[in-house]
Amino acid sequence: MKHFEVNFDGLVGPTHNYAGLSYGNVASQNNAKEASNPREAAKQGLVKMKALTDLGMVQGVLAPQERPDLATLRRLGFSGSDARVLEQAAAQAPAVLAACYSASSMWTANAATVSPSADTMDGRVHFTPANLTNKFHRSLEPEVTGRILRAVFPDERHFSHHTHLPENDHFGDEGAANHTRLCSHYGHAGVELFVYGRSAFDLSRPAPTRYPARQTLEASQAIARLHGLDEENCVFIQQNPAVIDQGVFHNDVIAVGNQNVLFFHQEAFLDTQGALAEVRRKFGDGELHFIEVPTAEVAVQDAVRSYLFNTQILTLPSGEMAIIAPTECRDTPAVSRYLDKLVTLGSPIKQVHFMDVKQSMRNGGGPACLRLRVALNDNELAAVNQACLMNDSLFTRLNQWVDKHYRDRLSFDDLRDPALVTESRAALDELTQILKLGAVYPFQR
């Protein structure tokens, strides 16, 4: 039986805008209030998806959320017609309006935590949508995320879907952005690494002081229980509070793993040597590569600016590994020099491919933010909604869909335009037909 790691990328939604909503995400804050280009953003994402299929990877698509979230605006006291709700919110609570328009679901690394069948007690692939309690605009996503995941992975014989964790900061969960998996082969039992920023119940543990720690230890432990993981296959690692305070808001901004490679910055973890020793012990026999990037070669700020670690590490059909990096890595001298050196170090990583995802980068999300990794075997892949798997035909059709429905410029003033609501709903209604998702959005019910 063959095994694959499939990347399911988030399709950028038609209301993609720069509102600077994510405190602690330096890029998001630095580009706040600039005009965005939703059409270009969606096309950049599609080009990345197609490039991965051309490299021989299996690539999937996850639909965006419905925005604006008018139901939430009405819960917050705005009333009347859709146009009246937008008018009131723009005048009285512009920050709330911007949050309810956010297209942040494009970053599907935050959509859920996924454990493959090789790791779980019942032999099914397990999904838990992230509750994203730390940011209001993202906390609006989990329910619809769950519906979309069920529409993409519908067969209960192979897939188990959990409700997101309680919507409480004690169980703040940011999904796969703080989770990675190491294994000798995708079909073998692996070691699941849960990286957390703080403990919610033990306040004596270290925590950042400037920016929030979004993932709690207790949330990570709960997900491991829900997914039926053996304790000997789990490692809980605390992220270094000092790098969170430098803008490393998720672990995938400072570390990334794939199969038997863990690629991380020297300052990524609080107790690096202790964590690596536990990983090595639980990994067992087999070659394991720890690639630690020294601060002397790449400063934390250069890593954050370029998103060196928000890259994707892929195992190509040839067996070699490749890094999918944003062009910002190529344009940051220290990072470019390091990547030139990396492919000569004798590790499995032999190639680097640069992708232009600037529309996402300006809002604080790199290539790895845009994808949710799901390890599948042949039977599980056959049970996936096949309309959501990228190929030449779907690539062409989705580009045509974007051209038909998306604007090429969006600023805050456009968010009060009721025509944008109509346009977005028309786009998503057609998309659910293209991807055969059924009625996953509130306006369709």
Side-chain angles (χ1 to χ4, degrees):
M1 184 177 292
K2 293 183 179 179
H3 295 83
F4 316 83
E5 183 173 78
V6 185
N7 292 282
F8 285 84
D9 278 37
L11 189 57
V12 179
T15 66
H16 163 67
N17 70 94
Y18 299 139
L21 298 170
S22 190
Y23 182 65
N25 181 329
V26 176
S28 172
Q29 292 178 271
N30 287 348
N31 293 291
K33 310 305 180 186
E34 290 187 11
S36 64
N37 187 330
R39 184 182 300 166
E40 182 180 59
K43 284 178 168 288
Q44 286 174 350
L46 286 168
V47 167
K48 181 172 88 77
M49 294 184 227
K50 180 62 164 56
L52 265 61
T53 63
D54 290 343
L55 287 171
M57 307 299 294
V58 182
Q59 174 69 52
V61 182
L62 292 179
Q65 303 260 331
E66 177 192 349
R67 293 294 180 267
D69 189 335
L70 288 164
T72 292
L73 288 171
R74 288 190 166 94
R75 284 183 63 197
L76 296 175
F78 303 107
S79 59
S81 66
D82 291 350
R84 180 63 178 152
V85 166
L86 298 178
E87 180 184 354
Q88 291 172 356
Q92 299 173 31
V96 174
L97 177 64
C100 289
Y101 255 114
S102 175
S104 55
S105 66
M106 62 196 276
W107 297 306
T108 53
N110 297 122
T113 303
V114 185
S115 294
S117 56
D119 292 356
T120 63
M121 192 178 302
D122 65 1
R124 293 187 293 171
V125 184
H126 284 246
F127 299 83
T128 298
N131 60 24
L132 300 166
T133 58
N134 191 261
K135 296 288 177 282
F136 170 69
H137 65 291
R138 301 227 61 179
S139 71
L140 305 177
E141 298 174 17
E143 184 176 343
V144 173
T145 295
R147 290 184 206 152
I148 292 171
L149 289 173
R150 285 179 171 85
V152 178
F153 304 96
D155 192 333
E156 293 183 358
R157 294 172 299 175
H158 298 289
F159 308 119
S160 176
H161 294 276
H162 303 278
T163 303
H164 56 277
L165 297 181
E167 297 173 23
N168 183 285
D169 198 40
H170 283 68
F171 292 95
D173 173 30
E174 299 281 317
N178 290 312
H179 171 266
T180 194
R181 178 176 183 263
L182 300 177
C183 59
S184 55
H185 300 284
Y186 289 127
H188 294 178
V191 178
E192 299 201 18
L193 278 56
F194 294 86
V195 182
Y196 63 94
R198 65 183 178 92
S199 170
F201 288 88
D202 183 357
L203 300 184
S204 68
R205 297 196 183 200
T209 58
R210 181 184 181 190
Y211 290 137
R214 304 186 188 185
Q215 184 84 25
T216 68
L217 169 63
E218 292 79 6
S220 296
Q221 292 170 331
I223 291 168
R225 288 192 294 269
L226 285 168
H227 289 195
L229 304 181
D230 191 300
E231 289 184 5
E232 282 302 303
N233 296 101
C234 297
V235 179
F236 299 93
I237 305 173
Q238 182 161 7
Q239 191 173 352
N240 183 357
V243 296
I244 295 177
D245 282 337
Q246 293 182 66
V248 181
F249 55 99
H250 288 140
N251 178 63
D252 68 2
V253 180
I254 203 73
V256 60
N258 174 61
Q259 282 196 326
N260 63 341
V261 170
L262 183 62
F263 180 48
F264 61 98
H265 193 273
Q266 178 183 346
E267 300 180 43
F269 309 120
L270 186 62
D271 175 17
T272 301
Q273 295 310 311
L276 298 186
E278 185 178 358
V279 171
R280 189 176 295 280
R281 177 178 66 81
K282 292 184 174 180
F283 189 85
D285 296 334
E287 195 172 23
L288 186 58
H289 299 266
F290 293 139
I291 305 174
E292 180 175 324
V293 180
T295 303
E297 293 188 51
V298 179
V300 170
Q301 287 307 308
D302 278 340
V304 173
R305 186 179 304 113
S306 66
Y307 271 19
L308 168 61
F309 298 97
N310 199 252
T311 50
Q312 296 176 243
I313 305 179
L314 308 175
T315 301
L316 302 176
S318 66
E320 288 188 349
M321 292 191 192
I323 281 184
I324 306 300
T327 53
E328 284 78 0
C329 285
R330 182 187 61 200
D331 300 337
T332 303
V335 173
S336 180
R337 286 193 299 270
Y338 184 83
L339 287 173
D340 287 342
K341 172 185 171 181
L342 175 61
V343 297
T344 70
L345 293 179
S347 80
I349 301 173
K350 304 297 184 186
Q351 305 175 30
V352 179
H353 300 269
F354 295 103
M355 301 283 172
D356 181 359
V357 288
K358 284 185 173 58
Q359 283 289 322
S360 177
M361 287 286 288
R362 288 172 188 157
N363 222 1
C369 285
L370 288 162
R371 62 90 175 95
L372 181 69
R373 296 178 291 180
V374 185
L376 301 168
N377 62 36
D378 281 329
N379 292 336
E380 292 158 353
L381 182 60
V384 169
N385 179 343
Q386 300 296 295
C388 296
L389 298 180
M390 181 58 68
N391 52 40
D392 290 347
S393 174
L394 183 60
F395 177 72
T396 298
R397 190 170 184 189
L398 288 176
N399 271 283
Q400 292 170 342
W401 171 80
V402 170
D403 286 333
K404 176 181 176 182
H405 291 287
Y406 280 49
R407 298 187 183 190
D408 61 7
R409 188 181 188 280
L410 205 62
S411 66
F412 178 78
D413 285 343
D414 296 313
L415 304 187
R416 69 186 78 211
D417 181 3
L420 186 56
V421 177
T422 304
E423 293 168 17
S424 298
R425 286 178 171 174
L428 295 180
D429 194 48
E430 183 176 339
L431 181 66
T432 57
Q433 298 172 52
I434 295 172
L435 300 181
K436 298 182 180 177
L437 299 177
V440 294
Y441 298 114
F443 77 88
Q444 295 175 313
R445 292 175 173 235

